[in-house]
Amino acid sequence: MNIKSLCKSALFIFAAATSQLTLAGETREAVAAGHETLTSQAVKGGRKDYDADFVAVPFVFSTETLSTTVGGAGVIKHAGQPQASVFGIGLYSSNESWITYLGLNNYQLPHMEQWLFSGEFSRASYKEGIYFVPEGANRASRGANSADAIATNRVITVGDEFYAKLHLKYVLPWGKGAKGAARSLMPSLATDPVTWNPRESGVTSVQLTPFIQTQELLGYESLPTKAQGLKLKFDWDNRDNGKNSTKGGRTSLTLSRDFGANGGGSDERQSWTTWEFEQSAFLSMGESDWFSQQILALNVYLADTPTWNDYDSGSQAYQRPPSFAGISLGGFDHLRGYSSKQFYGRSALLYSAEYRVQPRWQPLQSLPVFNLYDIPWWQWVVFAETGQVADEFSASELHEDMKWTLGVGARFEVENVIVRTEFAYAEESTQFWIMVNQPF
C-alpha cells in the first residue's frame, strides 16, 4: 500500500491551484485541470481589476519509489490575466530521482473571447520506478506491438519520462459560455439553470491538444518509447458545481491519433487511434438529521483502440499505442484499488458509483492547523467500481471476470480546492490515495 502525492496535497492547501500531479510510484502524469476558482471580483465589466498572487511552498516526503524527497512548488494566480495561472514544481530524492513540471493555464489572445490556451511540460527520471509492462516484454520482444499484449508484469527499473502538451480550447457561445470563455470558468450561481439542453445550460467546448510523450525503461529498450499526435476532445460540463456536484452531469468524448513515423531510427512509431467516452450523472437524495447533503454520483467510462488489429506488413507490427499512452485501468480515478495503468489493452469499460454525504457536524475549523485555512465543508464518501480491459471491443468480453474496487474516503474543500483521501480495497491489492479534485 502506497501513499500518493503528499506534497501535492500540501501545496494545494496553501496555493489553491487546480492542477493534478502524482509524484509517487506508478503514476507520473500531470494533468492541468483548469483554473476554476475565478470569482466575479476578478472581472468587472471587462476591466482588469486583479493582482497577481504568488505562493511558494517547500516540502519533504517519502514514497516507495522516490524514497526521501525534498522539493518546492509555486503558483501564480491571475498571472497576467484574471483567469490565468502558472504552476511549477521541482523535486529531488535521495535515490537521485527527480521531477520537474510547468503548467500555464487558461490564457487568452486579443479578440478571441471564446478561446483558452494552456500548456504543460514535464520531465522526470526515476531510479527505482514502478512500471507495468506487457507480459513477456524484454530486449527481444516488441511489447505492445506483438500479437497479444493484455497481461502486464510489475517491474522496478530506471525510467526517463517526458511530455509536452498544448491545449487549444474553444468554448461554444452557449449556456455559460455565452459571455466568453473566461466567464465560463466562474462558479455557477444558485439561480443558474441546469437543464438537458446544452444551448441553455453548462459549458460546451471543443479542445485540440498536440502532444509528445516519451518513456524509456532500462532493460526494456524494445518497447515503444514515444507517442506523438493530436487529441480532440468534445466536452459538455453540465454540473451545477464542479467541486461539489449535486445535479446535472458531464459528457466527454476524446479522440487520440498518432500518425506514426516509419523512417527508421529511434523515432520510428506505429500509427494508432483511440477514443474514450465518459458520462457522469449526479442525483440529490435530500437532507437528513445527520447530513445536510446526500448525493448519488454515477459514472461510466468506455474506451477502445480501433486500430488494434491493423497489421503493418512493412514494419511487421500492429498499430497499437505504447502501454503508457494507450487504454488502461488502475489509478486514482479509474479502478482505484489497483496501481496506475496496471491493466492495459485494446478496450476498457468501467462503472463507478459514489454515495457522498456532507455531515452537519463539522469540527475542522476548531482544530489546530485546520483552523488556519478556510474549510467550508467536508464530505464522507463510500464508493464501488467494476471494470475490465479486453483485447476485443465486445460487450461480453468487457463484462467477463470484471475487476472490482470498494472504498471509503473523506474530501475537503480547502481554500477553494478539493483535497481527497481514499482507501480502496480490491481482490488483489489495496491502495491509499491522497489527491486533488473529484474523480468525476
Side-chain angles (χ1 to χ4, degrees):
M1 181 170 66
N2 300 318
I3 297 179
K4 312 292 182 180
S5 194
L6 293 175
C7 65
K8 187 62 175 177
S9 300
L11 170 70
F12 280 92
I13 290 175
F14 286 87
T18 52
S19 297
Q20 292 185 109
L21 183 62
T22 303
L23 299 175
E26 301 85 349
T27 305
R28 301 154 182 88
E29 181 171 319
V31 180
H35 187 37
E36 297 179 349
T37 57
L38 178 68
T39 64
S40 58
Q41 286 74 26
V43 180
K44 296 182 179 179
R47 294 187 295 109
K48 292 183 178 180
D49 186 12
Y50 62 91
D51 294 316
D53 184 13
F54 173 72
V55 178
V57 180
F59 47 73
V60 178
F61 67 98
S62 180
T63 69
E64 179 182 357
T65 298
L66 297 175
S67 188
T68 302
T69 304
V70 297
V75 63
I76 305 174
K77 297 169 61 179
H78 315 308
Q81 296 179 356
Q83 78 288 342
S85 64
V86 176
F87 171 70
I89 190 169
L91 58 86
Y92 187 82
S93 76
S94 60
N95 68 6
E96 299 184 343
S97 298
W98 53 268
I99 301 172
T100 59
Y101 173 82
L102 176 65
L104 299 91
N105 303 310
N106 297 326
Y107 279 89
Q108 289 193 305
L109 298 178
H111 311 297
M112 300 182 73
E113 299 275 329
Q114 299 300 134
W115 288 86
L116 294 170
F117 300 89
S118 304
E120 296 180 80
F121 312 89
S122 177
R123 193 170 186 87
S125 178
Y126 301 89
K127 304 307 180 185
E128 299 176 2
I130 300 175
Y131 296 88
F132 288 86
V133 302
E135 190 174 82
N138 53 42
R139 297 179 187 272
S141 75
R142 297 196 61 85
N145 297 121
S146 63
D148 184 8
I150 295 298
T152 58
N153 287 332
R154 182 180 186 269
V155 301
I156 299 177
T157 187
V158 176
D160 291 319
E161 302 183 13
F162 166 81
Y163 72 80
K165 302 176 184 178
L166 177 63
H167 305 289
L168 298 83
K169 182 177 182 180
Y170 177 73
V171 177
L172 275 67
W174 302 343
K176 286 185 61 180
K179 295 183 179 180
R183 288 185 176 271
S184 74
L185 298 172
M186 297 174 65
S188 298
L189 301 175
T191 56
D192 289 345
V194 177
T195 71
W196 293 107
N197 183 349
R199 297 187 63 87
E200 300 176 354
S201 178
V203 179
T204 305
S205 64
V206 181
Q207 180 172 287
L208 182 65
T209 301
F211 68 90
I212 300 175
Q213 186 175 359
T214 65
Q215 182 185 90
E216 299 180 7
L217 306 182
L218 183 63
Y220 297 87
E221 287 79 3
S222 62
L223 288 173
T225 60
K226 186 175 183 179
Q228 178 176 339
L230 295 172
K231 290 181 180 287
L232 182 62
K233 181 178 182 179
F234 302 91
D235 184 80
W236 179 36
D237 188 350
N238 193 37
R239 299 171 294 176
D240 62 332
N241 186 330
K243 299 183 181 69
N244 183 25
S245 304
T246 63
K247 57 184 176 179
R250 186 170 189 174
T251 306
S252 68
L253 174 65
T254 303
L255 307 175
S256 301
R257 175 67 178 173
D258 187 329
F259 296 93
N262 296 316
S266 60
D267 192 39
E268 182 172 353
R269 308 188 317 277
Q270 292 301 310
S271 61
W272 51 265
T273 301
T274 64
W275 61 261
E276 300 169 87
F277 173 80
E278 195 156 9
Q279 176 67 61
S280 63
F282 303 90
L283 307 173
S284 175
M285 302 177 66
E287 303 180 11
S288 71
D289 292 340
W290 286 18
F291 305 120
S292 61
Q293 186 182 97
Q294 300 179 91
I295 303 299
L296 179 62
L298 305 171
N299 192 73
V300 60
Y301 170 79
L302 180 65
D304 184 43
T305 310
T307 60
W308 185 264
N309 290 322
D310 293 346
Y311 187 74
D312 186 339
S313 58
S315 61
Q316 297 184 340
Y318 287 87
Q319 295 183 348
R320 302 175 179 178
S323 59
F324 60 84
I327 303 303
S328 64
L329 290 181
F332 53 81
D333 282 341
H334 291 154
L335 212 58
R336 284 164 272 180
Y338 293 90
S339 299
S340 296
K341 299 183 183 297
Q342 183 167 341
F343 304 105
Y344 161 73
R346 167 178 172 164
S347 57
L349 174 67
L350 179 71
Y351 300 106
S352 303
E354 296 191 344
Y355 176 56
R356 305 173 180 177
V357 298
Q358 282 189 15
R360 296 186 184 277
W361 174 63
Q362 213 281 53
L364 299 180
Q365 295 284 194
S366 61
L367 298 178
V369 180
F370 286 95
N371 60 13
L372 300 176
Y373 309 103
D374 179 27
I375 308 177
W377 55 263
W378 66 335
Q379 188 177 72
W380 298 349
V381 181
V382 177
F383 61 87
E385 301 170 302
T386 183
Q388 181 60 285
V389 171
D391 60 356
E392 295 182 25
F393 185 61
S394 159
S396 59
E397 290 286 335
L398 290 170
H399 286 88
E400 184 178 352
D401 297 325
M402 301 179 77
K403 304 293 184 181
W404 55 265
T405 289
L406 298 175
V408 296
R411 299 169 189 171
F412 315 82
E413 181 180 344
V414 183
E415 299 290 347
N416 293 320
V417 174
I418 304 303
V419 178
R420 60 181 169 107
T421 63
E422 295 173 343
F423 176 81
Y425 172 79
E427 183 178 6
E428 302 171 17
S429 65
T430 58
Q431 299 287 334
F432 180 67
W433 302 96
I434 299 179
M435 184 42 61
V436 296
N437 293 334
Q438 300 278 11
F440 57 87

